[in-house]
Amino acid sequence: MVASLPHRMASSLYSSLNPLLTPSLRLLSNPLPVFSSSIPRSTEPVINFSFFSRTSSSKSGEICGTKRNGVPLSWALATDSSGSTAAAVSTEEGKKDGVSSPEGRVVLPTNESSEILLRIRHTCAHVMAMAVQRLYPDAKVTIGPWIENGFYYDFDMEPLTDKDLKKIKKEMDRIIGQNLPLIREEVSRDEAQRRILAVNEPYKIEILESIKEEPITIYHIGNEWWDLCAGPHVESTGNIRRKAVQLESVAGAYWRGDTNKPMLQRIYGTAWEDEEQLKAYLHFKEEAKRRDHRRIGQDLDLFSIQDEAGGGLVFWHPKGAVVRHIIEDAWKKIHIQRGYDLLYTPHVAKANLWKISGHLDFYKENMFDQMEIEEELYQLRPMNCPYHILVYKRKLHSYRDFPIRVAELGTVYRYELSGSLHGLFRVRGFTQDDAHIFCLEHQIKDEIRGVLDLTEEILLQFGFDKYEVNLSTRPDKAVGNDDIWVKATSALKDALNDKRWSYQIDEGGGAFYGPKIDLKIEDALGRKWQCSTIQVDFNLPQRFDITYVDSDQEKKQPLMIHRAVLGSLERFFGVLIEHYAGDFPLWLSPTQARILPVTDAQLEYCNEIWRRLKANGLRTEICSGERLPKLIRNAEKQKIPLMAVVGPKEAETQTVTVRSRHGGELGTMPIDEFITRIKCAVESRTFL
């Protein structure tokens, strides 16, 4: 029998309102660093955001079907008209899993679309903390907000195991079964402090100090346990369905993300309105796990991160490097066509450059330490922006020169805590597809529209045609006068309206130096990944005092637009891997065709086929030394799009028998026909 505890405290909505206390919530908002046209800092995709269609006429978020980008799918996400997310299981799987909704779909609400779900998740965090302190009375509580698909809570206690999670979940079920009421109470700050000290919860004292508003609100679970909290919650624990809640994992987390502070035990859980929703969510998790780019990257030998070199530093293996080369070539080609000049700039610069740009003042914690060279301090670059400005400043410009567009695949370096590193999604060295446009006020709209067109063209090449678009406007603290903010924001809106893209306005969410557009792409599972960003900047032109000569021979200051389409090559490659589950389309596949001899007697003819395919620019290889069934199985495992089987008959008739991963047996054909068909499929971006 578990002894009754005195009044205790758990997670707090106050903490979820304080950005210093909620790293997970902060990551979901994908803030961009000051002055940066950088990749977003989130390590995970946003799964359940409301979807916005690419055009005003398209059906929002609809991706259900038998295939997506040529890849067969038995599971995807979709949205209903209210913007809720639907976990779509194929009809057969829906029946197997007991899902009874139409077409095997279970609609998954979001925290934004369902207040009851948000209340359930917030209450589950409290119930979990109460269960932990029943089982482990010495555990100290910290914070525990709801998050995108559930909740978490941080405890100062002994390390936990998966076995402990089962015990905690069992205790949570008891609390839920007791149908205990959640009661709100208002107290003074002094009274709250007195109660916290009485139960010896030091972390809650810090949280109380961060709360500015009064009175202080407390939520009780029955008469046993209480929480410094602003709500909201369900009326009683009985409103939570036990079979719709699951504890998922335990991890370490530093208090307030500071490595100098205690390491805490973070328990993650998920909670839904009913069991069917939980089943659909777990099905989604399994599919996401199958597509994990870290596992696929290892299985297909695409990339690695070597401990000997250090965490967060990516090694592109030959096959991964081929895909990168294709991405870079496509990126460069379209930029040259759209009037951009390509740049290559150094990886280091004098530290004073970053002082002028403001990075040393506002971004130092994300920069590597400086190095001394011949009694001068140098800095690894965290951004490309100052370099492009220096290129602009190399000569005096006239108003006739504008717009000036420069672009670079520039590698940057940022300090990230080792615990935050995550495959290709959170690294310490990465290559941005960075560009900057210097223009005049009246050119902003056309330039933004041009960037949107270019973004659409590039993303469509890689199979992304559904986006969520956000326009962020002027914050309370900003540089630049009111007039230029109004003009720049209007130009962004006009460009989006010209594209007929639906978008959401984030009032006051812009950077202090200008308004911005952020675009999230939707992958084959319906997850959202922020890649593209467009930011108008009034600040750096001032800091670097860049000018041009106008028609009256007076010096004026141009506007600057930061712009990235893919975000970073590393992160975008990770998204591509998970989007296609490593099963790349023919034009993007590292190896397009594998030649398989039935016996070694056909090797000479196989080499001739290899030479002819190579001469036509096709990526091919020969595999031999095993029985044909095993060679075919190995090619399937490596997700090779095409297999050219060569036996005695093929060698005699100078043909190949072709097998496609997506089209099945394609029959026997001459080598020239095989080459032509591959080229046509590559040109049309289709499978063969």
Side-chain angles (χ1 to χ4, degrees), residues 362-374:
F362 296 99
Y363 201 62
K364 187 174 183 179
E365 69 275 9
N366 295 103
M367 298 166 65
F368 281 100
D369 289 342
Q370 297 171 1
M371 63 189 85
E372 186 174 329
I373 302 174
E374 295 181 348

Side-chain angles (χ1 to χ4, degrees), residues 70 91 152 163 200 205 233 377 380 399 442 469 499 669:
T91 304
Y152 75 80
K163 186 177 180 180
N200 189 26
I205 289 292
H233 293 283
L377 293 176
L380 279 171
Y399 69 97
H442 71 274
V469 183
K499 288 292 291 180
M669 62 189 74

Side-chain angles (χ1 to χ4, degrees), residues 98-152:
V99 180
S100 58
S101 56
E103 300 180 4
R105 291 191 200 173
V106 175
V107 175
L108 295 181
T110 69
N111 292 333
E112 291 76 20
S113 68
S114 172
E115 185 180 350
I116 183 60
L117 180 61
L118 185 147
R119 289 174 180 268
I120 287 171
R121 287 172 172 170
H122 195 194
T123 306
C124 281
H126 286 218
V127 170
M128 181 175 71
M130 179 176 175
V132 166
Q133 291 193 306
R134 274 185 173 182
L135 296 170
Y136 308 93
D138 293 333
K140 303 298 181 185
V141 293
T142 63
I143 61 168
W146 67 82
I147 52 177
E148 244 339 278
N149 290 294
F151 56 94
Y152 75 80

Side-chain angles (χ1 to χ4, degrees), residues 491-554:
L492 296 182
K493 289 181 179 179
D494 290 344
L496 287 170
N497 290 332
D498 281 356
K499 288 292 291 180
R500 299 183 66 196
W501 281 2
S502 299
Y503 62 92
Q504 191 173 42
I505 294 180
D506 179 12
E507 294 289 355
F512 77 89
Y513 51 84
K516 64 175 181 172
I517 293 172
D518 291 322
L519 186 148
K520 296 172 186 172
I521 57 176
E522 178 185 321
D523 72 4
L525 289 187
R527 298 174 297 181
K528 296 301 180 69
W529 304 85
Q530 185 169 328
C531 289
S532 309
T533 183
I534 308 167
Q535 303 172 338
V536 180
D537 188 351
F538 313 133
N539 181 63
L540 283 186
Q542 287 180 354
R543 282 181 169 268
F544 282 91
D545 191 26
I546 61 173
T547 60
Y548 69 94
V549 178
D550 71 3
S551 57
D552 296 323
Q553 299 302 305
E554 294 182 2

Side-chain angles (χ1 to χ4, degrees), residues 71-91:
V71 182
L73 291 179
S74 62
W75 200 93
L77 290 183
T79 57
D80 62 13
S81 58
S82 67
S84 298
T85 303
V89 186
S90 67
T91 304

Side-chain angles (χ1 to χ4, degrees), residues 17 61 93 129 145 149 185 221 245 386 427 449 573 612 616 674:
L17 296 175
E93 291 195 32
N149 290 294
E185 179 187 11
I221 299 182
V245 179
V427 294
R449 173 60 194 264
F573 185 41
R612 291 177 65 178
N616 280 272
F674 183 43

Side-chain angles (χ1 to χ4, degrees), residues 395-561:
K395 65 180 182 179
L396 185 63
H397 292 280
S398 162
Y399 69 97
R400 295 186 182 89
D401 298 333
F402 295 100
I404 298 171
R405 309 181 189 103
V406 294
E408 177 181 14
L409 293 169
T411 301
V412 298
Y413 302 90
R414 298 184 187 165
Y415 172 67
E416 300 282 358
L417 294 174
S418 59
S420 68
L421 300 175
H422 181 84
L424 297 175
F425 293 156
R426 181 72 75 87
V427 294
R428 287 173 172 163
F430 54 90
T431 302
Q432 292 179 302
D433 70 317
D434 217 352
H436 294 90
I437 301 170
F438 302 92
C439 65
L440 308 179
E441 282 186 24
H442 71 274
Q443 296 172 330
I444 297 178
K445 176 189 170 183
D446 289 341
E447 289 306 305
I448 297 298
R449 173 60 194 264
V451 172
L452 295 178
D453 290 342
L454 179 145
T455 298
E456 182 177 38
E457 185 174 346
I458 290 177
L459 293 178
L460 279 173
Q461 288 188 41
F462 296 99
F464 299 108
D465 61 355
K466 291 184 173 64
Y467 324 127
E468 176 185 308
V469 183
N470 292 281
L471 170 62
S472 301
T473 61
R474 181 175 185 168
D476 293 335
K477 294 182 179 180
V479 298
N481 59 52
D482 292 344
D483 181 59
I484 191 61
W485 271 92
V486 170
K487 288 181 179 178
T489 305
S490 296
L492 296 182
K493 289 181 179 179
D494 290 344
L496 287 170
N497 290 332
D498 281 356
K499 288 292 291 180
R500 299 183 66 196
W501 281 2
S502 299
Y503 62 92
Q504 191 173 42
I505 294 180
D506 179 12
E507 294 289 355
F512 77 89
Y513 51 84
K516 64 175 181 172
I517 293 172
D518 291 322
L519 186 148
K520 296 172 186 172
I521 57 176
E522 178 185 321
D523 72 4
L525 289 187
R527 298 174 297 181
K528 296 301 180 69
W529 304 85
Q530 185 169 328
C531 289
S532 309
T533 183
I534 308 167
Q535 303 172 338
V536 180
D537 188 351
F538 313 133
N539 181 63
L540 283 186
Q542 287 180 354
R543 282 181 169 268
F544 282 91
D545 191 26
I546 61 173
T547 60
Y548 69 94
V549 178
D550 71 3
S551 57
D552 296 323
Q553 299 302 305
E554 294 182 2
K555 285 191 175 182
K556 297 286 183 65
Q557 197 166 83
L559 293 176
M560 183 177 179
I561 299 172

